[in-house]
Amino acid sequence: MKVSLLARALGFASLVSAQTAKFCPPEGGQVCYSVNVPSNTPSSGTGDIFFQIQGPSSKQWIGLGQGGRMTGANIFIIYPDAGGKNVTLSPRLGKGNYQPNFDTDAKVTLLDGSGIANGIMTANVRCSNCDSWNGGSMDLKSSSSSWIWAVKDGSSLDTNDQSANLQQHSVQGAFKFDLTKASGGNSLNPFQDATATSTAAGGAAPTSAVSGANSGPNASSDGSSSSGSSSEGDDSGSSGGSKAMEHRMVIAHGVLMSLAFLIFFPLGALTIRLLSFAGTVWVHAGAQVFAYSMALAAFGIGIWIAVNTQQLNNAHPIIGITVLSLLTLQPLLGLTHHIHYVRTSRRTLWATAHVWLGRALITLGIINGGLGLQLSDNTRSGEIVYGVVAGIVALVYVAVLVVVGRKEKSEGGSRGEKGKGESSPAGSGDDRNGERGRIV
């Protein structure tokens, strides 16, 4: 009995002595972050640390990260689970101005007290490898450790998927914790009864524990204000040159792919429908080869980006690889049809395959462009503009097909590829069995 009482007393003493540093960013909307470093962790340089993420369950997601910017950050994101009573903890690795990847190597545990109650979601977390991770490390004895935070407003995710697709944050910032002021105790869950050494209600925190705090859409990693978009502000720092190069590559990839799939592929497809002169079919072929060359250049840039940011397993690059691979079949299908048509003056299955594969790949490429914008954390206005342009292109394309189709039907059949630069075999006579516009 005496042993039991002594153990409880020691446990209580340990719990009380556990110190936590707390930061509540003013732009976060009642979002707060706390951290505790057990007394035995700084002495060994490795071991567990504890942190708490807390905020309104009306937020789509709330994130906390170790590091001064997204690149190389050890990020932890919470959002309501499928049942709406608990939270999903998603550890991720920041690779740049992109959606961070789920980290399968993270050693994190949700502790008692985590969940959703009274409109507040709470995650009490034990992390056993937060001293070092793939891409970075943190001195757990530092008096000026760098952290980042982010919040996304919007409808709840309500999912248990730790790899769920996340939209770009609504607000974000950076701050520093004095971990020497957040050390103490050996509690297994310090947030059950923690003593906060720094409280930042409304964002005002004692500088002894929280310093360099900065928040807002244009928050930078050094605590000072910055100009430009929030995603660019995330990764300002010593690697500015490489990040600037990466940013230019992303822009080049997006512009080239957009031109190829929104302009040149559809335009090349419509030439065979709208134009009528000798050699039109070769104009069509040349336009599509030009578009494919542009897409191939963008594809190479995209592969470079995906490899360097470890996002080859994402839906966007997977779809992109599939589309570009299948596009290599298009000239073969078109040429095979042309050869058979010259011999027989009849439409072939090669033409049907060429037409519908082309239409499917253009459509899939346009959709994948939208996924790429989300992956690169593009602005909402950028996504809207892309969607509007894609919608206009689709309407024009369909309208042309409908109008030309009705015109051909009223004329009692198509004029065939002979008028498009095809040559019918000798003695074939009238070329009414040809296929006007059958090559996409």
Side-chain angles (χ1 to χ4, degrees):
M1 182 66 176
K2 291 181 180 181
V3 173
S4 178
L5 289 174
L6 178 59
R8 290 182 182 181
L10 290 174
F12 179 75
S14 173
L15 183 63
V16 171
S17 63
Q19 301 295 303
T20 62
K22 187 175 183 180
F23 173 63
C24 303
E27 299 281 345
Q30 297 182 324
V31 170
C32 290
Y33 307 94
S34 303
V35 64
N36 165 255
V37 181
S39 57
N40 61 330
T41 296
S43 60
S44 63
T46 60
D48 295 340
I49 70 166
F50 299 89
F51 60 86
Q52 181 186 76
I53 304 175
Q54 192 171 61
S57 58
S58 58
K59 303 293 185 182
Q60 188 171 104
W61 57 261
I62 303 173
L64 174 68
Q66 294 177 279
R69 54 198 178 94
M70 281 191 67
T71 300
N74 195 26
I75 300 173
F76 306 93
I77 296 175
I78 66 168
Y79 37 85
D81 69 357
K85 295 183 179 180
N86 209 335
V87 296
T88 297
L89 172 64
S90 176
R92 302 190 178 216
L93 293 174
K95 296 296 181 181
N97 296 326
Y98 318 97
Q99 180 178 198
N101 298 326
F102 175 63
D103 182 13
T104 56
D105 295 327
K107 299 178 181 178
V108 291
T109 305
L110 272 177
L111 304 176
D112 290 343
S114 301
I116 299 177
N118 301 320
I120 298 295
M121 56 179 171
T122 301
N124 296 330
V125 183
R126 179 178 69 241
C127 180
S128 300
N129 64 339
C130 279
D131 58 311
S132 178
W133 60 91
N134 183 16
S137 62
M138 176 172 284
D139 181 3
L140 301 182
K141 298 178 287 185
S142 173
S143 60
S144 184
S145 62
S146 297
W147 299 72
I148 57 175
W149 65 272
V151 176
K152 171 61 180 175
D153 297 320
S155 57
S156 177
L157 291 177
D158 293 332
T159 178
N160 297 332
D161 183 7
Q162 293 178 293
S163 301
N165 184 52
L166 303 177
Q167 295 188 6
Q168 184 184 17
H169 46 66
S170 302
V171 64
Q172 57 85 23
F175 64 98
K176 294 182 182 297
F177 267 140
D178 182 351
L179 296 181
T180 65
K181 304 295 184 181
S183 299
N186 293 300
S187 172
L188 296 179
N189 191 348
F191 300 108
Q192 292 284 55
D193 187 16
T195 301
T197 62
S198 71
T199 302
T207 57
S208 60
V210 180
S211 63
N214 185 38
S215 60
N218 296 324
S220 68
S221 62
D222 60 0
S224 59
S225 61
S226 64
S227 60
S229 67
S230 59
S231 61
E232 292 174 345
D234 289 342
D235 280 321
S236 59
S238 59
S239 61
S242 61
K243 293 311 299 177
M245 170 63 76
E246 188 175 293
H247 184 62
R248 288 194 294 269
M249 296 291 273
V250 171
I251 293 177
H253 170 75
V255 169
L256 289 175
M257 278 298 191
S258 296
L259 288 174
F261 282 91
L262 288 178
I263 305 297
F264 293 110
F265 274 131
L267 190 61
L270 292 179
T271 56
I272 201 75
R273 285 283 190 176
L274 297 176
L275 303 181
S276 180
F277 60 85
T280 297
V281 68
W282 300 113
V283 172
H284 159 78
Q288 299 302 66
V289 169
F290 174 77
Y292 180 73
S293 299
M294 183 177 292
L296 195 62
F299 174 74
I301 297 173
I303 291 296
W304 181 89
I305 295 170
V307 170
N308 280 273
T309 59
Q310 298 184 7
Q311 300 210 52
L312 274 175
N313 61 340
N314 191 279
H316 176 69
I318 290 175
I319 294 174
I321 292 171
T322 302
V323 170
L324 263 294
S325 298
L326 292 175
L327 275 173
T328 60
L329 298 176
Q330 283 297 87
L332 299 177
L333 293 173
L335 183 60
T336 301
H337 161 68
H338 172 72
I339 293 173
H340 280 273
Y341 181 83
V342 169
R343 294 174 179 173
T344 65
S345 285
R346 296 179 181 277
R347 182 193 178 200
T348 67
L349 291 177
W350 301 107
T352 302
H354 181 71
V355 168
W356 288 104
L357 179 61
R359 292 172 180 173
L361 292 180
I362 290 175
T363 302
L364 191 57
I366 292 175
I367 293 173
N368 199 38
L371 296 178
L373 290 177
Q374 291 184 347
L375 185 63
S376 63
D377 280 345
N378 201 282
T379 62
R380 183 63 176 170
S381 59
E383 295 175 357
I384 292 175
V385 170
Y386 181 86
V388 170
V389 174
I392 293 174
V393 170
L395 288 175
V396 171
Y397 188 85
V398 172
V400 170
L401 293 182
V402 171
V403 171
V404 173
R406 288 180 176 178
K407 183 179 179 181
E408 290 178 352
K409 185 176 181 180
S410 66
E411 292 177 351
S414 64
R415 290 182 295 172
E417 291 182 3
K418 183 177 181 180
K420 298 298 183 180
E422 293 278 17
S423 301
S424 56
S428 62
D430 190 12
D431 193 24
R432 292 186 178 274
N433 291 325
E435 292 294 323
R436 179 186 182 190
R438 294 298 185 178
I439 299 180
V440 174

